[in-house]
Amino acid sequence: MLRITDILDKAESYLPPQDLEGIEKAYIYSAGMHHGQVRLSGEPYLSHPMEVAGILADMELDAATIITGFLHDAVEDTLATLKDIEAGFGHDVAFLVDGLTKMSKIQFASKEERQAETFRKMILAMSADIRILLVKLADRVHNMRTLEYQNPDKQRKIAQETLDIFAPLANRLGINWIKMELEDLAFRYLQPNEYDNLSKLVAKGREERKEYTQEVRKIIIEEINKCGLKGEVDGRPKHFFSIYRKMQAQQIDFDKVYDLTAFRIILDSHRDQDCYQALSVVHSCWKPIPGRFKDYIALPKMNNYRSLHTTVIGPHGERVEIQIRTREMHEWAEEGIAAHWRYKEKRPQYEARDEEQIKKLRELLEVQKDLTNPREFMSNLKLALYHDEVYVFTPNGDVLAFPRGSTPIDFAYSIHTDLGNQCVGAKVNRSIVPLKYELQNGDTVEIITQAGRHPSKDWLKIAKTSRALQKIKHWITMEERTRSIDLGRDMLEKEFRKRGIKYGSFVKSDELKSVFADFSLNSLDDLLAMVGCGKLSPRKVSNYVIADLEEEKKEESPADIPVRDKKKSKSSAGISLTGIDNIMVRFSKCCDPVPGDEILGFVSRGRGISVHKADCPNVQGAETDRLVELEWNIKEKHTYPVHLRVVCRDQKGSLAEISGVITSFDVNITQLRMDAIDGLNVMLDFRVDVHDLQQFNKMVTGIKRLKNVQSVERMKHV
C-alpha cells in the first residue's frame, strides 16, 4: 500500500510546507473515519483514498485537490459530515467533496436513469470546478486497477461504463495517460480472450522491437542535432486497446500491424517552426507515406492537442509513425488541463486554452440540458465525446471542427439555431451539395436559407452532432405540441357541447385547477396537449365539471337483467349508470378496474352489468347496444383488487423492502407469487387491495425508487 510519506515526497517537490501539513492532517482524519472498513480485496479501505491522493499528487495538483482525494468517500461511507470537513479543512475542500458526494447519493428507478443523472451532475459540477472531475477520474483509475475483486457481471458493467464515458472524458481533457490506462483496463475485462492473445503476441516480439527502436532513435537524434535542434526522442509501444481497435477497423491480423511503436520527437524549443524543421529532417531521411501526415499544430484537436504526425517507410522497409512536438505541447498531450492547473488566492486560474476546454465541456451539458429521456441523454453524450474530427472553413475563413460524418446541417446549427432551422441547401467549395453530404477536411461551407422553412424529421437520420440533433428534436417537439393543443381544444369543445357545458366558463373555473392538480399540469396548454395526443380523454376532463349528471330517460331495462335495490347498488358498487337504474353490478376480474380508471359497462344476460376498464380488450369490438356509459360516484370507501408485477434483483431483503413500501401506503397484500427469471432477477406477482388509482400510482412510484427494482407494471388478472 502507498505510504503517506510517498505522497508527501511527491507534493513537497511543488507545494509549500504549509500545504503539506493540511495533506497529512487529511490522511490522519481519513484513517480515523475509515478505521475498520475493508475493500473487497481484503485491504484496509484507507488504501483506496491513499491511492487516489497519490494519483492526484503525481498529476501535481493543488493541496485542496489532494486533500479531497483523501476525503472523497468520507461523507458517503462514514459518519463524517460536510460541516465537519469544512470546519477542519476549509470551504474549498468541502465544496469539492460535496460535488463528488452528490453524484452518488440519489437512487433512481433504472440503471439508465441513474447513469444519465450521474454524468449530468458530473458535467455540471466540473463546469463549476474542473477539480471535481479530476478527482473522479483518479478515483476511477484506482477502481479499475482493483477491478479483479468484483464479480464478473459488475466487472463488465464498470468496464463498459469506463470505456463509454470516463476514457473519452479524460481524452477531452487531454489527459492521455489516464485515457490509455482506462481503455486498456476496460479492454482486459470486456474482452479477456482478445486481451490475453494480444498481450502474448506483443510480448513475443518485444526484444526485436526494442533493438529496432534503438536503431531508429539513434538516427533521428543524429539528424536533428545536425540541424541545431535540441530535444529527446522517445519510442513507446502503442497501448493494447489502440492496437486492437486498429485491427478491428482495418480487418487485419496482428502480423499486418506494422507501426506497433510510436516515436516522439520532443524539442526543447518553444517555437512551432522548429517542429516543421524537424519534420523536414525526418522526411529527408525516409520517404513519407501519402495521406498519413496530420498537422495538429495549425489545426489543434478539440481537446487542444498539438503535434505533427507523420508515417514514413523507415529502416528495413518498416512503417514508422513519428510525432513531433515541443516540450510544452508534450506536457499538454500527456497531462492536459491537469498540467496547466494553477491555484492562486483560493481561486482556480486557467490559461486561455484551458478556459476554452471548460467552455466546450460546459456546452455538452447546455446542449442536452432539456433531454429528459435517460437513454437519449447517454446516447447524445457518447456521440459528443467520441468523434474523429474533420476541419472545415466558414466563408470568412474561420476553421470549425466536426465529428467525421457531419453534414451541412451540423455546420448550420453550429453557427446559429435560426440558420439551422431555415436551412434549405448548402454550397461546398462553391458547388451546391445535398444536405446529406458528408463534410471533408478543407471544405468551405456556405448555408442557403429560406424564410418560413422548417426542419424535417428526416434530418434526424443525417445530422451527427448532439447540438444539431437536439435542436431538430426540440423544433419537432414544439411543432407537434402546437398541433396537439389545437386538436385537444377541438376535441374538448366538442365533448363539452355534447354534455351541455360551456368551454369558456370551464377555462375560468375552479374545476380547471382540480384537473391541473390531479394530472400534475401547469397550464391550460399542457392540458390541451395531453388531450390532443391521446394521453387524457375529453370525457374524463368533462367529469370534473359535472358533479351529478341528470339521468336521461331511456327505455325500460330488459326484463332478463336482474334488478337490485337502487340504494344498495349505488353504495356498494361506487358507480353511477347513465340512463339505467336498479341494475346488479359486478366488477370484472379480467382487468380489475379501480376508481380513477375510465370504465364501461357490458350488459351480461342474466348476470347484470360487468364493469370493465375502457381499454379492456374484452369490451373492444363488443356489440355497441350492449355497452353502457359508467362513471365513478364514490360515496363510501371500498377496496378494489389490483394485480401488480415487480421485477427485481434476487438479493436478500428485496422482498421485504417492496412489501414495506406497499404497506406504508396503507395497502393490503392478499396474494403473492414469486418466479425466478434467471440467476440474477426474480418476478413478484402481487394481488393488493387499493382504494383508488391515485393510491395505486403513489405506491408504484415508491416501489420504483428502490435500487434493486428493475420494473413495475399493472397486470391483468393472473
Side-chain angles (χ1 to χ4, degrees), residues 502-514 544-545:
K502 291 184 179 180
Y503 176 79
S505 301
F506 164 71
V507 298
K508 299 176 184 178
S509 67
D510 291 336
E511 284 84 357
L512 182 63
K513 296 177 183 177
S514 299
Y544 279 83
V545 186

Side-chain angles (χ1 to χ4, degrees), residues 2 7 10 48-59 66 70:
L2 196 67
I7 298 174
K10 295 174 185 178
H48 174 62
M50 288 280 288
E51 292 289 347
V52 172
I55 292 169
L56 298 170
D58 285 333
M59 296 164 72
I66 298 174
F70 278 112

Side-chain angles (χ1 to χ4, degrees), residues 164-226:
D164 287 347
I165 303 296
F166 284 95
L169 274 175
N171 182 51
R172 283 298 295 261
L173 293 175
I175 311 175
N176 192 50
W177 74 267
I178 288 185
K179 167 189 171 285
M180 291 194 301
E181 182 170 353
L182 290 179
E183 284 180 343
D184 276 356
L185 288 169
F187 176 37
R188 175 183 171 187
Y189 289 100
L190 289 173
Q191 294 168 302
N193 293 333
E194 288 85 347
Y195 179 90
D196 290 341
N197 290 337
L198 189 56
S199 61
K200 290 173 185 175
L201 291 169
V202 170
K204 189 180 294 184
R206 184 169 291 147
E207 287 303 317
E208 184 180 330
R209 280 194 303 277
K210 187 176 180 181
E211 292 178 9
Y212 186 78
T213 300
Q214 292 301 325
E215 181 182 353
V216 174
R217 283 185 69 252
K218 184 179 179 182
I219 295 172
I220 296 175
I221 290 171
E222 288 176 355
E223 293 300 321
I224 65 172
N225 285 343
K226 288 178 185 178

Side-chain angles (χ1 to χ4, degrees), residues 301-356:
K301 289 186 177 183
M302 291 186 77
N303 63 2
N304 290 319
Y305 173 90
R306 303 173 73 229
S307 186
L308 298 177
H309 289 198
T310 187
T311 303
V312 299
I313 304 296
H316 315 298
E318 291 200 22
R319 293 188 177 200
V320 178
E321 181 184 318
I322 299 174
Q323 302 167 1
I324 305 168
R325 60 184 71 148
T326 65
R327 197 165 296 281
E328 182 185 7
M329 294 175 191
H330 178 67
E331 189 177 308
W332 173 268
E334 291 300 301
E335 299 290 341
I337 281 181
H340 293 268
W341 177 258
R342 298 293 179 266
Y343 188 73
K344 185 179 178 183
E345 297 178 354
K346 294 190 176 181
R347 288 193 177 185
Q349 305 293 322
Y350 303 107
E351 293 186 1
R353 60 184 163 195
D354 298 346
E355 287 284 10
E356 184 65 22

Side-chain angles (χ1 to χ4, degrees), residues 368-380:
Q368 300 169 89
K369 65 183 180 181
D370 296 325
L371 295 180
T372 56
N373 184 307
R375 192 164 294 178
E376 186 178 3
F377 174 84
M378 291 306 298
S379 175
N380 281 12

Side-chain angles (χ1 to χ4, degrees), residues 40-190:
L40 292 177
S41 63
E43 292 181 298
Y45 191 86
L46 180 64
S47 64
H48 174 62
M50 288 280 288
E51 292 289 347
V52 172
I55 292 169
L56 298 170
D58 285 333
M59 296 164 72
E60 297 191 359
L61 296 175
D62 63 299
T65 309
I66 298 174
I67 291 171
T68 302
F70 278 112
L71 306 177
H72 72 278
D73 282 336
V75 172
E76 186 180 359
D77 294 339
T78 76
L79 297 177
T81 66
L82 279 175
K83 286 185 178 180
D84 297 336
I85 290 174
E86 184 167 5
F89 302 96
H91 174 75
D92 202 31
V93 172
F95 174 79
L96 297 177
V97 172
D98 185 38
L100 288 156
T101 304
K102 283 178 178 176
M103 291 182 197
S104 52
K105 255 189 173 180
I106 303 176
Q107 294 182 347
F108 298 95
S110 69
K111 69 176 183 179
E112 290 89 358
E113 185 180 342
R114 180 172 61 253
Q115 190 182 52
E117 192 60 26
T118 295
F119 293 114
R120 200 190 299 268
K121 284 179 176 290
M122 192 184 303
I123 297 171
L124 182 63
M126 74 185 177
S127 68
D129 197 319
I130 197 68
R131 292 175 295 177
I132 293 173
L133 181 57
L134 296 178
V135 177
K136 192 71 179 175
L137 286 173
D139 175 57
R140 180 52 62 116
V141 167
H142 185 246
N143 282 334
M144 286 299 294
R145 288 174 180 174
T146 56
L147 195 59
E148 62 189 284
Y149 299 104
Q150 296 283 358
N151 65 63
D153 286 335
K154 199 158 189 180
Q155 285 176 349
R156 286 189 292 272
K157 173 182 171 294
I158 295 173
Q160 191 64 58
E161 182 180 77
T162 299
L163 193 61
D164 287 347
I165 303 296
F166 284 95
L169 274 175
N171 182 51
R172 283 298 295 261
L173 293 175
I175 311 175
N176 192 50
W177 74 267
I178 288 185
K179 167 189 171 285
M180 291 194 301
E181 182 170 353
L182 290 179
E183 284 180 343
D184 276 356
L185 288 169
F187 176 37
R188 175 183 171 187
Y189 289 100
L190 289 173

Side-chain angles (χ1 to χ4, degrees), residues 482-526:
T482 300
R483 292 175 183 171
S484 295
I485 289 172
D486 292 341
L487 179 60
R489 186 181 292 108
D490 290 343
M491 293 171 65
L492 212 53
E493 287 178 346
K494 183 178 179 181
E495 175 68 18
F496 279 20
R497 280 197 302 272
K498 187 172 77 173
R499 304 187 72 174
I501 307 169
K502 291 184 179 180
Y503 176 79
S505 301
F506 164 71
V507 298
K508 299 176 184 178
S509 67
D510 291 336
E511 284 84 357
L512 182 63
K513 296 177 183 177
S514 299
V515 177
F516 288 172
D518 282 4
F519 292 99
S520 300
L521 303 174
N522 297 316
S523 67
L524 178 61
D525 281 351
D526 289 346

